[in-house]
Amino acid sequence: MDLLARIDHWGTVAPDRPAHISEGRTLTYGELRAQSDALASWLSEKLGDNRAPIAVIGHKENEMLVAFLGAVKSGRPYVPIDLSIPPQRAERIVQNAGAALTLTPAAVREALAAPRATAKPKPVTGEDPYYIIFTSGSTGEPKGVVITLNCLTTFVIWTLGEQKFPELDETFLNQAPFSFDLSVMDLYSSLASGGTLFSITKEAIANPKVLYQAFTNSSITTWVSTPSFAQMCLVEKTFGPAMLPQIRRFWFCGETLANETAAQLLDRFPDAEVWNTYGPTEATVATTSMRVDRKVIAEHAPLPVGYEMPGTRIVIMDEKRASVPEGERGEIVIIGPNVSPGYLGRADLTEKAFFATDGTRAYRTGDWGRMRGGLVFFEGRMDGQIKLHGYRIEIGDIESHLRNLPQISDAVVLVVEKNGKPDSLAGFVVLRERGAGSDFEISLQFKKQLAERLPAYMVPRKFWFLEAFPMTANGKADRRKLAELLK
Ligand code: AMP
């Protein structure tokens, strides 16, 4: 499949069909094609042979899609940076990416208003990087996962084949920020099938009245979100077929889908299917999937994450990289053409997590899992990476930012659970010097300082102040003892 040609094709056969609807603004396939072509020429003229990535900073504006496609049509990968990422961290990402240029929606409009460039752009091909998504890194430095056109095409061929989306007929919910690779699932399934991408903004998500009104006006047929987001919507009694009369499927990825969430959705939406998919950003969004019907819910608790996508292999390995027998626990390793070539400019991190086997790329996920009857079961993380409301966070990332604050000498961050699910973060800190101000005031100050450096979802909700941390036998902060303080 020639992904870019396929997306452009809709601009020829259905130029008036909406490609993207966001905040009441519509971008048609005709406009997307014309504008991304024009932007690609503009970029080629401006940057010449410099094929460094294009950073794209914004939220859910129509121009984001124009910028993404404009970049790749000009032969450069894009780095999506959502507005939830504070400027300081965004700046680090732009630097680490070695970006040739940063585009914002306003900059895209400006470029399109400039006299038409005549340069003939050369789009990305095959093994060229297509996008680079930065995820939380355990040392406080975000790491850029390089996804090639081949990786993305492999993924899209799979989703179109498995879900059999009718052409020019679907409307996809886009809930995840474009800097989270879950959004790739709706964005490219939509663009490749001539669908309409229906975005909801962070402002709408924070305001239930606006959110449910948006759904009512949406004509969504395919719901893509984290299970947490659907769980939040299920609290609303009117969240049902009257609100989403055309819904065909709920398509989840990114974190554990609870049996209860799947069952509630099937009760509320008897005509819709529920799908669970699993995978890390490093292997292009998702590598396993399955439909979760009532039989599956009755047979499995917790739910499996599905079967491997054709053309890829999931192998459960022990620490010596030997595959373990069926049914035994080990690390989930993904082998296939959807696996990233590695982290941008970080050969050290790439070497730790990636390897090649029989000439095919492989990625050690750091996830515990096991296989039974071809089904993959996810059993938690082997390290300090967590998922909070769908967001991937390295606990070490937050801790290192806390330790860098001048008032703090040491810090530990723990996850606070509610009803058995991660709910918020707690920060434990040892202060260098107890200054003036109550615990509450000092906490507020830390939250403010952290919010300048990290997205809001990485800022602990509550802080505990200690003289010193309890220690384990080998002299590390005793996280178990600290967790007892939360009870
Ligand atoms: P991300 O790179 O943000 O997509 O996060 C990838 C990680 O999320 C995986 O390595 C898993 O730890 C977790 N994850 C993704 N999908 C699922 C799922 N369906 N069930 C449980 N955990 C998941």
Side-chain angles (χ1 to χ4, degrees), residues 6 16 31 49 66 104 117 122 180 201 225 243 272 283 352 362 385 403 410-411:
R6 194 179 163 101
D16 297 329
E31 289 164 340
D49 290 335
V66 175
T104 59
K122 275 206 216 94
F180 175 10
T201 61
S225 81
M243 190 184 284
K352 273 191 204 149
Q385 183 182 301
R403 284 189 204 111
D410 204 358

Side-chain angles (χ1 to χ4, degrees), residues 10 25 40 44 46 68 88 97 133 154 160 180 258 282 328 373 378 402 404 456:
W10 310 121
R25 287 176 69 214
S44 303
K46 197 168 173 63
F68 299 161
Q88 229 182 70
I133 281 187
T154 304
L160 295 195
F180 175 10
E282 287 84 342
E328 276 185 26
F378 165 82
L402 272 174
N404 282 342

Side-chain angles (χ1 to χ4, degrees), residues 221-299:
T221 56
T222 294
W223 175 286
V224 179
S225 81
T226 55
S228 293
F229 183 70
Q231 188 61 56
M232 183 193 94
C233 295
L234 279 165
V235 174
E236 168 63 37
K237 297 272 177 302
T238 61
F239 181 68
M243 190 184 284
L244 296 170
Q246 301 181 53
I247 193 84
R248 296 170 184 158
R249 64 180 73 69
F250 290 87
W251 204 19
F252 293 116
C253 193
E255 60 177 354
T256 300
L257 173 64
N259 289 58
E260 183 58 22
T261 309
Q264 277 185 40
L265 285 168
L266 291 176
D267 287 346
R268 289 265 185 108
F269 298 90
D271 295 330
E273 297 179 356
V274 172
W275 288 75
N276 190 14
T277 73
Y278 154 89
T281 305
E282 287 84 342
T284 323
V285 192
T287 305
T288 70
S289 80
M290 79 181 301
R291 187 174 161 195
V292 178
D293 57 16
R294 290 185 192 281
K295 188 163 169 279
V296 173
I297 296 173
E299 279 173 3

